[in-house]
Amino acid sequence: MKYLCLVYSSEEALHSLPESPKDSECIAYAESVRASGRMLAAEALESVQTATTVRVRNGRMSITDGPFAETKEQLAGFYLIEARDLNEAIQVAARIPAARVGCVEVRPVRELKPD
Amino acid sequence: MNPDIQSLVATIYRTESRRVLATLIRLLGDFELAEEALHDAFAAAVQQWPREGVPANPRAWLVSTGRFKAIDSIRRRARFDSVLAELANTLESEVAGPDAAAEEVVEDDRLRLIFTCCHPALSGDAQIALTLREVCGLTTEEIARAFLVSPTTVAQRIVRAKAKIRDARIPYQVPGRAELPERLGPVLQTIYLVFNEGYLASSGADLMRCDLSAEAIRLGRLLADLLPEPEVCGLLALMLLQESRRAARVSAAGDLILLEDQDRSLWNREQIAEGVALVERALSSGRFGAYTLQAAIAAVHAEAEDAAATDWAQIVGLYDVLMRIVPSPVVELNRAVAVAMRDGPEAGLTLIDAILDRGELQNYHLAHAARAELYQRLARTAEARAAYAQALALARQDTERRFLEKRLDALPG
């Protein structure tokens, strides 16, 4: 079963605290998940200041600057993993270095069903 | 139908239905399906046992009948859905094995069910509702009455929890050694919340709420049988020792009676003996936690002939250890009260004021009630009056308010 682990953190805490993870640690952890065969994809994201939000209403597209909602913690990156069950997914999520300063939302992937 | 067999089926339902359900959930991999199968299996027993006789192992018969009924019912629905047909085939090909209902496997299934219902990925409310429904077999209406919410609310919590178990794939398993400490926490907390919901119920008239304490103790016993970890024994001991005072803690008029004023001849000696033995076992393991320590404190009270004979030095010592394991302002407050009993009211007041000066517990009525008591003992009536008034302004529960009003009225002019 696929799970998406969404890593949220205030962007300040992500880089400024003593326990904030360094890039090298994040790369090493992603490598270990890949080696375990559970990794489908993982990326870190640029700052939320670079975000652009796109909507389509009544066939018309609108573009706005910034994320879809202003929140205290921002989406900083994600892991898409393959895990046997929620417990296994939680084990992977708990070791993501940024979980020390932010939090990780674990969401099962819904398989779309063709009509 | 033969009335003997009818009452036998009813008895077997009471003693075995939760075990059969726990095993069916494992075999079928789905709560809803397992509940239907359980219902169908008992319906089949009512029909077939009078004709064919009662099977030698009713539990094994119920498990295998339930499993076949479930596969049948999936198959009937499968005519419209190829995924279901595949599921029915998979379930049928998985051999349930002759041991599917063996004692050891079934007990493991009960533990699996408890840990799944109390999975930390479910909300606290959902854990409680699901545990009472699936593990204890209470009806949705009974749970709703006990927690003073509508049956619809309880039903929704249970439906959502089951959906999350299925969709997020919460596994049906007992956590391994490494995960056990963090996974046992929510289980013990759920049981203790159920207990307190029954124990702290304000009126003795509401029997259902008292039943919750009995239900929690039953759950604690079951868990201690299945998983005799020190903290499980500690929690069971804590519940037994608190329950032992039930008859003494409320007056005939429904007013709270303080521990020191309780008629100790009303305490349940059997529960105390069992609780004390469990505490000693947990303490001697050296791997105990907060429940065991709270139980140990309750045991010191239980063993005192009268209030004056209480070993306060030992209680302060136990609070010291508790503060190291789970430091919190409430534990600190309780410790301060014990220090006041050991060293005198001034010593207690100094400690409580230090907590309040830090800005903590200022809205906690029991902190002000404790200060009021200590001022009263020092005959500083004006300060006692002010502190009782503060406590009253913050207290919510009727019995507690009545208690505080009485104390306030009893102060000398």
Side-chain angles (χ1 to χ4, degrees), chain B residues 49-370:
Chain B
W49 291 2
R51 268 202 324 269
E52 297 163 14
V54 178
N57 184 342
R59 185 199 295 163
W61 187 94
L62 289 162
V63 167
S64 97
T65 305
R67 177 171 168 271
F68 283 121
K69 295 265 175 199
I71 293 170
D72 269 359
S73 115
I74 297 172
R75 212 149 265 145
R76 258 178 278 125
R77 278 178 271 172
R79 272 179 287 177
F80 310 101
D81 190 335
S82 61
V83 180
L84 281 178
E86 211 173 298
L87 173 64
N89 289 338
T90 318
L91 285 174
E92 192 157 54
S93 66
E94 280 169 0
V95 185
D99 294 341
E103 197 66 36
E104 207 175 310
V105 184
V106 167
E107 298 301 80
D108 279 355
D109 285 338
R110 301 202 84 187
L111 261 188
R112 283 188 186 99
L113 183 56
I114 293 172
F115 275 101
T116 305
C117 289
C118 296
H119 196 284
L122 303 173
S123 77
D125 287 340
Q127 291 178 32
I128 290 175
L130 204 57
T131 303
L132 289 174
R133 177 77 199 88
E134 309 297 330
V135 184
C136 305
L138 265 57
T139 64
T140 306
E141 288 72 23
E142 285 170 334
I143 300 167
R145 260 207 311 281
F147 284 88
L148 310 177
V149 292
S150 77
T152 323
T153 305
V154 173
Q156 265 173 3
R157 281 177 193 162
I158 292 175
V159 167
R160 282 198 199 121
K162 284 181 187 162
K164 180 156 188 190
I165 290 171
R166 187 185 61 233
D167 297 339
R169 200 176 287 179
I170 291 177
Y172 197 56
Q173 65 189 26
V174 179
R177 275 276 138 207
E179 292 167 76
L180 196 57
E182 74 194 50
R183 289 291 310 281
L184 196 53
V187 175
L188 299 179
Q189 194 184 358
T190 297
I191 297 175
Y192 196 44
L193 281 171
V194 171
F195 176 81
N196 276 329
E197 198 61 36
Y199 191 70
L200 303 176
S202 43
S203 79
D206 202 334
L207 282 175
M208 188 55 225
R209 291 168 72 79
C210 297
D211 278 357
L212 277 183
S213 299
E215 205 59 65
I217 289 175
R218 253 197 297 282
L219 260 176
R221 273 190 212 288
L222 172 67
L223 193 62
D225 274 349
L226 299 172
L227 191 74
E229 284 287 305
E231 268 295 85
V232 178
C233 298
L235 173 62
L236 178 56
L238 177 60
M239 294 192 293
L240 286 166
L241 289 164
Q242 288 183 344
E243 184 70 16
S244 74
R245 300 180 206 141
R246 179 184 287 282
R249 71 188 282 273
V250 181
S251 75
D255 289 328
L256 281 179
I257 303 174
L258 281 186
L259 188 57
E260 61 189 63
D261 300 325
Q262 288 177 12
D263 175 359
R264 298 188 177 211
S265 70
L266 294 175
W267 287 3
N268 183 320
R269 293 291 142 191
E270 248 172 76
Q271 286 172 331
I272 290 176
E274 191 186 354
V276 168
L278 282 162
V279 174
E280 282 168 358
R281 210 168 86 200
L283 284 174
S284 66
S285 75
R287 294 188 295 120
F288 53 83
Y291 290 113
T292 302
L293 284 165
Q294 286 170 267
I297 292 165
V300 175
H301 286 299
E303 288 179 319
E305 291 273 309
D306 51 51
T310 309
D311 184 350
W312 289 106
Q314 199 185 347
I315 289 179
V316 172
L318 288 165
Y319 273 121
D320 286 340
V321 186
L322 194 57
M323 270 301 285
R324 279 205 298 278
I325 301 184
V326 281
S328 87
V330 172
V331 174
E332 209 178 330
L333 173 67
N334 289 329
R335 182 183 172 279
V337 172
V339 168
M341 295 307 294
R342 187 190 61 181
D343 302 339
E346 288 96 341
L349 275 170
T350 309
L351 292 172
I352 297 176
D353 286 344
I355 303 171
L356 292 171
D357 287 347
R358 285 206 313 264
E360 286 177 304
L361 300 188
Q362 281 167 347
N363 295 323
Y364 186 53
H365 65 286
L366 292 180
H368 298 285

Side-chain angles (χ1 to χ4, degrees), chain A residues 53-113:
Chain A
T53 302
V54 178
R55 289 181 178 81
V56 178
R57 295 290 180 274
N58 301 321
R60 291 185 53 181
M61 179 177 71
S62 79
I63 299 173
T64 48
D65 173 44
F68 81 99
E70 295 290 346
T71 47
K72 263 191 264 169
E73 301 199 304
Q74 293 83 34
L75 185 63
F78 70 88
Y79 277 73
L80 181 64
I81 59 166
E82 179 70 41
R84 193 180 57 233
D85 54 39
L86 184 63
N87 282 6
E88 200 172 277
I90 288 172
Q91 295 300 321
V92 174
R95 294 196 301 270
I96 296 175
R100 293 199 303 264
V101 289
C103 58
V104 183
E105 179 177 318
V106 180
R107 293 274 295 271
V109 168
R110 180 167 74 92
E111 297 294 338
L112 298 177
K113 296 182 192 83

Side-chain angles (χ1 to χ4, degrees), chain B residues 390-410:
Chain B
Q390 261 178 309
L392 252 174
L394 295 165
R396 283 273 187 76
Q397 242 199 340
D398 280 349
T399 32
E400 286 184 322
R401 296 185 55 82
R402 271 207 311 278
F403 174 80
L404 290 167
E405 278 160 7
K406 273 196 176 167
R407 303 292 279 194
L408 188 54
D409 288 345

